[in-house]
């Protein structure tokens, strides 16, 4: 039984963020009193209640409940600062569609970048799945935020299925972020098929982004069993667009007679970093076709892939595509059957092409493959990752191939595993060697059943906030004063999600002191 009990009769507090509230990116860079009573003396980093973007009574009730269960004052303060970060700071707009007053829409930004990433917003909301229900009578509730985000993502995907990050919809009447759009224009992105720059912030095709939409959809349905919602608006059309894209992205570089296929999607940028552009005129390195895997031009770090069959995203896509079959069967049985067949085909292809013999660890999952026999042994901190396979629900942490893969990922054989007195975890090429990501430590604890490993992870995380009491994007493994992003809502929410997960699985570990 879940430890959280919801109080459905609470009264919501709904208010626009006043114009005199400080910009949170600047607010998060300095500490604010009162400080926690433990040795870390974490500041209080939540904005004042009147400056919070989406006040949810169940969030406040959960924070109070956790306070009775987490005994370490510093650990509890870190939870209070991090878990509500998405609803406190990133719900830029929540309302109704202009063309349909019954359709909820929500625009959830990633933090310091005022755009909505499909992946980030889906994962930010997953942090609140434990309090997701449809019985709340509050005007501001998590279920409405989920529905609004699903509806808006569905609209974007149906129009621009290859794109990953979006600007506020016209329905919000929010002004466009011209600075960010100007920044993109200077980069010189050349993308086919074309997109509308008034709606799209960036159009990097990432298989994990459309997988995140399916994850968000499943999380809502799994918690609420509200299948009726999915048949009302644009969800089914978005899924059909995803299926068409996936079929196109199963196409290889060459035809059977040796001609070169025209890529359905190409992406180029005038960049001085290899991960910020795509080789071969924007089509990527060659891949074998029709092997059951789906190509991805970019990783969840927004870095370009080397071999486009990116395995963690294929795992995530298969897992949530098949999960959402149950929802689609209430709308369109033919599409549901197509979803099931594709998911099972990907699962079989992962088994056939993604398990590669490592000279030290034996048969493990490769990070990327091309179908010709080439493979990439590494992992990246961003989810989906190889480390996150049990978190995705693709394989349990007891799976032998996963266990060997995990041993590889958490070793120096992984080229992006960073070591030092601050953090020992995976980073990635996005920020380079020596910059470890707290997100990877969080995922290590969430996929572990070992008490000692979990305690070690918690201690590392508590010591890597540079006294700001928030979870950064990355931290130098030897110097915690060198970090990136004071305001990264996904990582903050994931830390809170980890605490709630441990209260279910390992409550005794949160009843101890970390002083």
């Amino acid at each position: 039984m879940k430890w959280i009990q919801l109080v459905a009769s609470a009264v919501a507090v709904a208010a626009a963020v006043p114009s005199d509230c400080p910009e949170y990116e600047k607010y998060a860079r300095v500490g604010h009193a009162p400080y926690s009573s433990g040795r870390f003396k974490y500041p209080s980093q939540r904005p004042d209640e009147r400056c919070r973007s989406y006040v949810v009574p169940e969030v406040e009730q959960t924070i109070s409940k956790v306070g009775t269960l987490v005994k370490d004052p510093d650990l509890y303060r870190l939870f209070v600062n991090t878990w509500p970060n998405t609803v406190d700071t990133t719900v830029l707009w929540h309302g109704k569609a202009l063309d349909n007053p019954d359709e909820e829409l929500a625009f959830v930004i990633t933090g310091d970048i005022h755009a909505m990433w499909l992946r980030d917003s889906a994962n930010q909301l997953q942090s609140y799945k434990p309090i997701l229900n449809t019985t709340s009578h509050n005007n501001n509730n998590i279920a409405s935020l989920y529905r609004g985000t699903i509806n808006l993502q569905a609209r974007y995907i149906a129009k621009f299925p290859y794109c990953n990050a979006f600007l506020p919809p016209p329905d919000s009447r929010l002004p466009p972020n011209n600075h960010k759009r100007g920044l993109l224009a200077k980069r010189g992105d050349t993308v086919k098929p074309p997109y509308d720059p008034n709606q799209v912030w960036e159009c990097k095709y990432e298989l994990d982004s459309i997988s995140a939409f399916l994850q968000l959809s499943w999380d809502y349905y799994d918690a609420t069993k509200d299948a009726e919602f999915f048949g009302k608006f644009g969800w089914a059309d978005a899924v059909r667009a995803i299926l068409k894209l996936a079929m196109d992205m199963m196409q290889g570089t060459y035809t059977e007679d040796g001609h070169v296929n025209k890529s359905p999607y190409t992406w180029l940028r005038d960049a001085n970093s290899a991960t910020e552009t795509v080789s071969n005129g924007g089509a990527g390195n060659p891949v074998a076709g029709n092997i059951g895997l789906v190509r991805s031009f970019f990783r969840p770090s927004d870095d370009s892939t080397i071999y486009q069959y990116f395995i963690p995203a294929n795992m995530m896509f298969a897992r949530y595509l098949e999960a959402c079959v149950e929802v689609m069967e209430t709308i369109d049985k033919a599409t549901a059957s197509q979803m099931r067949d594709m998911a099972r085909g990907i699962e079989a292809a992962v088994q056939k092409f993604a398990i590669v013999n490592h000279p030290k660890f034996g048969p493990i999952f490769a990070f990327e493959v091309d179908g010709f026999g080439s493979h990439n042994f590494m992992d990246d901190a961003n989810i989906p990752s190889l480390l996150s396979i049990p978190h995705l629900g693709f394989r349990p942490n007891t799976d032998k191939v996963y266990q060997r893969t995990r041993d590889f990922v958490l070793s120096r054989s992984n080229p992006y595993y960073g070591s030092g007195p601050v953090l020992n975890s995976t980073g990635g090429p996005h920020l380079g060697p020596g910059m470890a990501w707290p997100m990877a430590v969080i995922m290590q604890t969430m996929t572990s059943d070992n008490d000692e490993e979990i305690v070690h992870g918690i201690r590392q995380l508590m010591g890597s906030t540079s006294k700001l009491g928030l979870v950064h994007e990355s931290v130098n493994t030897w110097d915690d004063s060198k970090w990136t992003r004071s305001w990264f809502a996904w990582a903050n929410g994931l830390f809170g999600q980890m605490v709630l997960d441990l209260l279910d699985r390992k409550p005794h570990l949160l009843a101890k002191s970390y002083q």
Side-chain angles (χ1 to χ4, degrees):
M1 176 181 293
K2 294 288 183 183
W3 61 270
I4 298 174
Q5 294 185 346
L6 302 178
V7 180
S9 61
V11 178
V13 179
V17 175
S19 60
D20 64 332
C21 288
E23 292 182 24
Y24 191 75
E25 198 279 330
K26 295 179 180 177
Y27 185 89
R29 287 180 173 269
V30 296
H32 306 274
Y35 293 83
S36 60
S37 60
R39 68 185 180 91
F40 286 102
K41 299 192 183 318
Y42 293 136
S44 179
Q45 300 294 68
R46 294 190 74 185
D48 291 341
E49 185 170 331
R50 72 183 189 90
C51 295
R52 296 172 191 169
S53 63
Y54 193 77
V55 178
V56 183
E58 288 90 347
V59 168
E60 306 309 317
Q61 295 155 21
T62 301
I63 290 171
S64 296
K65 181 70 173 179
V66 171
T68 68
L69 301 169
V70 175
K71 302 306 180 184
D72 188 283
D74 289 332
L75 182 57
Y76 177 61
R77 172 61 59 82
L78 198 51
F79 174 80
V80 172
N81 285 344
T82 59
W83 184 64
N85 197 239
T86 287
V87 290
D88 279 358
T89 67
T90 71
V91 184
L92 215 60
W93 176 73
H94 173 261
K96 299 293 181 69
L98 289 175
D99 60 355
N100 187 343
D102 294 326
E103 184 177 6
E104 297 160 294
L105 298 175
F107 188 75
V108 181
I109 63 173
T110 183
D112 55 348
I113 303 173
H114 282 210
M116 185 169 87
W117 264 253
L118 298 177
R119 169 188 58 250
D120 288 58
S121 56
N123 282 290
Q124 286 165 242
L125 290 188
Q126 190 180 67
S127 302
Y128 305 115
K129 187 177 179 181
I131 61 169
L132 171 59
N133 73 103
T134 55
T135 63
S136 175
H137 301 294
N138 302 316
N139 293 325
N140 279 20
N141 60 65
I142 296 300
S144 179
L145 194 56
Y146 263 81
R147 290 191 298 267
T149 306
I150 291 168
N151 285 336
L152 186 55
Q153 287 198 5
R155 286 185 167 207
Y156 289 142
I157 290 169
K159 290 181 181 178
F160 310 107
Y162 286 100
C163 299
N164 64 318
F166 299 87
L167 293 164
D171 314 69
S172 70
R173 294 187 171 90
L174 290 172
N177 194 322
N178 292 318
H179 168 71
K180 292 297 183 183
R181 251 196 291 170
L183 179 63
L184 282 183
K186 290 177 182 178
R187 288 173 174 172
D189 293 0
T190 303
V191 184
K192 296 180 182 179
Y195 61 86
D196 181 358
N198 293 309
Q199 299 182 63
V200 175
W201 196 92
E202 187 172 59
C203 197
K204 288 180 171 180
Y205 160 56
E206 304 160 339
L207 180 59
D208 76 276
S209 286
I210 54 177
S211 302
F213 170 71
L214 298 173
Q215 170 194 298
L216 179 68
S217 303
W218 172 251
D219 283 346
Y220 177 79
Y221 175 74
D222 185 42
T224 66
K225 302 305 177 188
D226 180 16
E228 184 182 358
F229 156 71
F230 292 94
K232 290 181 178 179
F233 307 109
W235 183 81
D237 288 339
V239 174
R240 294 185 190 105
I242 287 171
L243 289 171
K244 182 183 183 306
L245 179 153
M247 289 295 294
D248 290 344
M249 284 292 112
M250 286 182 172
Q251 171 185 285
T253 303
Y254 304 104
T255 64
E256 289 187 5
D257 62 2
H259 285 89
V260 176
N261 280 315
K262 183 179 180 181
S263 178
Y265 169 90
T266 58
W267 194 93
L268 279 173
R269 172 176 287 172
D270 182 11
N272 59 8
S273 171
T275 60
E276 282 296 306
T277 192
V278 177
S279 64
N280 291 320
N285 287 323
V287 294
N290 303 312
I291 65 172
L293 296 172
V294 182
R295 295 163 64 187
S296 184
F297 277 53
F298 292 89
R299 302 166 181 164
S301 58
D302 293 340
D303 296 326
S304 59
T305 52
I306 296 173
Y307 304 119
Q308 290 185 346
Y309 291 130
F310 174 49
I311 298 307
N314 272 269
M315 292 173 167
M316 183 181 184
F317 185 59
R319 186 269 190 264
Y320 287 108
L321 189 65
E322 185 157 19
C324 288
V325 167
E326 186 176 338
V327 180
M328 185 61 80
E329 282 181 332
T330 67
I331 304 170
D332 181 344
K333 291 189 181 297
T335 300
S337 179
Q338 185 183 359
M339 293 164 66
R340 182 184 293 108
D341 290 345
M342 181 179 287
R344 292 179 180 177
I346 294 170
E347 290 168 8
V350 167
Q351 184 69 25
K352 182 176 181 180
F353 293 98
I355 301 175
V356 183
N357 192 59
H358 187 278
K360 181 177 179 180
F361 295 91
I364 65 172
F365 290 114
F367 190 64
E368 297 167 348
V369 301
D370 63 1
F372 293 122
S374 297
H375 55 270
N376 183 4
F377 281 139
M378 62 166 278
D379 201 20
D380 192 292
N382 286 267
I383 304 165
S385 61
L386 294 176
L387 185 61
S388 72
I389 289 171
H391 176 73
L392 302 175
F394 186 81
R395 293 275 180 92
N397 64 1
T398 55
D399 180 84
K400 296 300 183 184
V401 180
Y402 172 72
Q403 288 180 346
R404 290 192 294 267
T405 306
R406 181 187 180 87
D407 289 343
F408 158 76
V409 168
L410 299 176
S411 76
R412 291 191 179 182
S413 293
N414 172 10
Y416 285 101
Y417 185 80
S419 301
V422 178
L423 279 182
N424 291 272
S425 75
T426 305
H430 194 68
L431 293 168
M435 298 299 289
W437 289 51
M439 182 180 289
V441 181
I442 297 170
M443 190 48 52
Q444 183 180 351
T445 68
M446 292 182 73
T447 54
S448 175
D449 292 322
N450 183 281
D451 285 11
E452 185 177 339
E453 182 179 21
I454 293 169
V455 167
H456 182 61
I458 292 172
R459 291 190 185 281
Q460 286 191 81
L461 291 165
M462 292 178 70
S464 64
T465 78
S466 60
K467 299 181 181 180
L468 288 177
L470 290 166
V471 178
H472 299 302
E473 177 187 47
S474 73
V475 181
N476 186 284
T477 59
W478 286 84
D479 183 354
D480 75 327
S481 69
K482 297 178 180 178
W483 46 267
T484 59
R485 298 181 78 174
S486 62
W487 181 21
F488 186 25
W490 180 11
N492 280 292
L494 191 65
F495 179 87
Q497 190 174 345
M498 177 198 76
V499 171
L500 298 183
D501 171 65
L502 291 174
L503 284 173
D504 279 336
R505 294 192 301 123
K506 303 273 189 179
H508 60 283
L509 297 184
L510 300 185
K512 61 176 292 178
S513 171
Y514 286 84
Q515 297 301 304

